[in-house]
Amino acid sequence: MVEITFISNGGKVVQAPENSNLLRVSLKEQGGIPFKCGGGLCGTCRCLIEQGLEHTDAVKPKERKHLTEQDLEQGYRMACQTFVNGDIKVSWQPRTAPR
C-alpha cells in the first residue's frame, strides 16, 4: 500500500494499492482534487506532487498538452493520467466558484 496526502484538503491522508490512479483514489477517498472529464482532455485535475514525484509513473502525451516542460520539472502532473507507486504528497489550486 502507498500513502497519499492531499495537502489542499487539510492534509487528508489515505492508503491505496500500488499503481493506483491518483484521480480515482481522490474520488474514492474524497481527496478533493478538482476534475471535469477524467480523461486528460480538460486539464482541470492539474496538481503539484510536492513530495514523492519519483513515485509516479512516466508523463503521458495527454499531460504534455496541458503542462509545459517547466511545469513538469516543478512536479506538476494531471491526476487523471498519474499512477502512484510510492508515498506522495499532492496539492492543487482550489477551483473558484463560477459567478
Side-chain angles (χ1 to χ4, degrees), residues 8-82:
S8 301
N9 187 7
K12 181 174 187 166
V13 178
V14 302
Q15 303 281 323
E18 279 192 30
N19 205 32
S20 290
N21 176 273
L22 182 54
L23 182 59
R24 287 192 204 119
V25 172
S26 176
L27 292 170
K28 181 177 181 232
E29 302 289 344
Q30 299 176 340
I33 295 175
F35 74 101
K36 282 185 183 170
C37 76
L41 303 175
C42 72
T44 304
C45 66
R46 179 181 195 258
C47 59
L48 177 62
I49 309 298
E50 295 202 19
Q51 285 184 4
L53 184 62
E54 68 276 13
H55 299 303
T56 59
D57 65 340
V59 174
K60 315 289 186 310
K62 286 182 180 179
E63 291 181 275
R64 295 187 185 280
K65 292 179 182 173
H66 298 285
L67 301 170
T68 65
E69 278 303 316
Q70 185 176 11
D71 289 337
L72 295 168
E73 287 169 15
Q74 291 173 353
Y76 285 95
R77 295 291 304 266
M78 304 301 299
C80 70
Q81 300 294 306
T82 302

